[in-house]
Amino acid sequence: MEVIVVGGGIGGMSAALSLHAAGIGAQVYEAAPQIAAMGLGIHLQPNAVRELTELGLADALHSQAVAIQELAFYSKRGQRIWSEPRGREAGYHWPQYAINRGTLQVILLEAARARLGAGRIHTGHRLASFEQDETGVTAHFVDSVTGAPLPPVRGDVLVAADGLHSVVRKHFYPDQPLRYGGQLMWRSAVSAAPFLGGSTMIIAGHRNQKLVCYPMRNQADGTVILNWIAELGQSGDGPPREEWNQKVDRSKFSGAFDAWTFDWLDVPALMKAGAEVFEFPKVDRDPVPQWTFGRVTLLGDAAHPMHPVGSQAGSQAVVDGRVLAHHLAATRDKPQEGLLRYEADRLPPMRDIALQNRTLGPELVMEIVEERAPQGFAHIHDVLSAEDLQERADAFKRLAGFAVESLNNRPSYSVARP
Ligand SMILES: Cc1cc2nc3c(=O)[nH]c(=O)nc-3n(C[C@H](O)[C@H](O)[C@H](O)COP(=O)(O)OP(=O)(O)OC[C@H]3O[C@@H](n4cnc5c(N)ncnc54)[C@H](O)[C@@H]3O)c2cc1C
């Protein structure tokens, strides 16, 4: 079987590695002229680290990522609302990692080149259209620099891992716009002293003013690279598409955080540090009822674009690829059946996460604290009971497929190569 993987991002590369590990041929077609190390921090939850470990990438990850041992929610006044152990500290057999997205991309790319062969990773190929018949799929690419048509590619299956602006998703769902959530986000990374012990991810504030901060790289001199994301609610529609991911001046938002000097983190100082700041609107799309159409299926952000809540997008894209390969291997001569099984496994929970992320997912506790105690609290349990906090945290992990016992005990998606 030969699978055409469209998109060489985190999901596409993970899918190609997973297919190869299952003895299924895969070729990756990426629009960018070169696959470059782009992006800032991204999280890999234990469910994704399990899959990458089973793909033989544990050492590469371990040497370049930070194992996150604690997640803590704070109010806008810097009061701790909730904290919980993460990764191995929480009892998982696998760590939770924070890593630079570009570094992760290079780890996956190098593994794919070594295992699939460099000749099976095609850059500069932008998918323009495709069609399928009883015996296979034909993909039509254009040169992403010149726009010139490239020779058509034939395969048994086409996996659309072409991200948030997927042309394959658009083919099946032409009238499905991006939905703006009403917030702008600014991302940056800065070299700094570790905070809260050096392995904590914090989320502070509430729906319309939030800061996320975590270390994503330990440095030899004892400092860390901190990734931070500031978020503010806005009126209006958000910036037009061509203005996304642009460098902006921090004065656009930093004043709102002037009072956020906490004894555990000096947010104004973090924001003043010299690094570039990139602006993004918070967007997703409505969940769709079907990802698989005959020999074509959607994966990663193309399948389930979601708000960046609960650190899910990258992790779930990795898991998608493993589940896809598992089912295609099990139904080898009937790929349509394998793709339907993949969809049946993955679509319902991803739909539920995307919808729950619109209502803040595990971060809802911060919103409740802001509503009930905007001037601060003497004790958090005056605002939310310990049981309530615990149940909300557990419910999201169950939904997202990384409840400790079920992840530790579920069978592997690995399949023996024929
Ligand atoms: C450049 C970049 C930077 C990012 N930075 C961050 C970050 O800092 N933090 C974070 O949490 N998330 C970031 N993300 C998003 C994150 O990587 C994804 O949400 C997540 O990993 C899901 O992966 P995916 O493979 O589905 O999508 P993506 O990782 O977005 O990959 C999609 C890939 O498909 C390619 N593509 C698009 N259209 C076509 C086409 N027509 N033909 C061929 N190829 C196509 C794109 O060039 C891209 O490489 C970034 C994504 C990109 C593309």
Side-chain angles (χ1 to χ4, degrees), residues 26-282:
Q27 305 222 28
V28 179
Y29 296 86
E30 163 61 42
Q34 278 118 27
I35 299 181
M38 288 175 76
L40 294 163
I42 197 164
H43 271 267
L44 292 171
Q45 303 289 353
N47 52 343
V49 177
R50 173 177 180 174
E51 301 313 330
L52 294 170
T53 300
E54 292 180 7
L55 286 171
L57 299 174
D59 291 345
L61 286 177
H62 186 72
S63 62
Q64 305 202 58
V66 173
I68 295 294
Q69 297 176 5
E70 182 189 49
L71 169 67
F73 294 135
Y74 285 84
S75 73
K76 67 180 181 210
R77 296 173 170 270
Q79 291 187 285
R80 186 172 276 219
I81 296 170
W82 167 253
S83 69
E84 61 181 18
R86 282 288 174 133
R88 289 192 193 280
E89 280 59 34
Y92 293 102
H93 294 167
W94 303 272
Q96 172 175 332
Y97 284 129
I99 189 167
N100 181 290
R101 181 190 178 276
T103 304
L104 174 61
Q105 175 84 69
V106 169
I107 291 172
L108 296 171
L109 174 63
E110 285 178 355
R113 280 195 178 130
R115 297 177 194 182
L116 281 69
R120 295 176 79 81
I121 316 290
H122 311 270
T123 53
H125 280 61
R126 179 175 295 285
L127 184 77
S129 63
F130 60 92
E131 70 255 355
Q132 55 180 313
D133 53 45
E134 276 168 22
T135 60
V137 187
T138 307
H140 301 277
F141 293 93
V142 297
D143 183 308
S144 57
V145 178
T146 64
L150 295 165
V153 176
R154 185 87 178 150
D156 298 292
V157 163
L158 186 147
V159 174
D162 51 346
L164 187 59
H165 309 290
S166 168
V167 296
V168 180
R169 182 179 174 116
K170 193 164 185 186
H171 172 88
F172 293 115
Y173 298 100
D175 302 315
Q176 218 214 13
L178 282 162
R179 275 179 53 136
Y180 175 51
Q183 290 86 16
L184 283 181
M185 301 182 293
W186 296 275
R187 295 180 182 166
S188 189
V190 60
S191 181
F195 71 99
L196 292 174
S199 53
T200 294
M201 172 184 191
I202 67 96
I203 308 179
H206 52 88
R207 181 192 290 271
N208 282 322
Q209 182 171 11
K210 193 170 94 178
L211 181 87
V212 178
C213 186
Y214 54 85
M216 63 170 177
R217 179 100 200 201
N218 293 317
Q219 304 191 99
D221 64 359
T223 60
V224 292
I225 305 284
L226 288 183
N227 186 82
W228 60 262
I229 305 138
E231 192 175 314
L232 290 176
Q234 311 282 317
S235 54
D237 296 334
R241 171 73 211 285
E242 51 281 10
E243 288 175 20
W244 292 15
N245 196 15
Q246 288 208 346
K247 280 183 230 168
V248 295
D249 195 296
R250 68 203 64 227
S251 61
K252 195 164 176 186
F253 60 90
S254 61
F257 293 87
D258 278 351
W260 287 37
T261 304
F262 309 132
D263 54 7
W264 47 272
L265 187 67
D266 185 342
V267 177
L270 192 70
M271 289 183 174
K272 278 193 198 99
E276 295 167 328
V277 177
F278 296 88
E279 181 178 87
F280 296 82
K282 189 191 253 184

Side-chain angles (χ1 to χ4, degrees), residues 302-325:
H304 43 76
M306 55 177 73
H307 286 171
V309 170
S311 315
Q312 291 299 310
S315 296
Q316 298 296 355
V318 170
V319 178
D320 283 350
R322 290 278 290 167
V323 176
L324 174 83

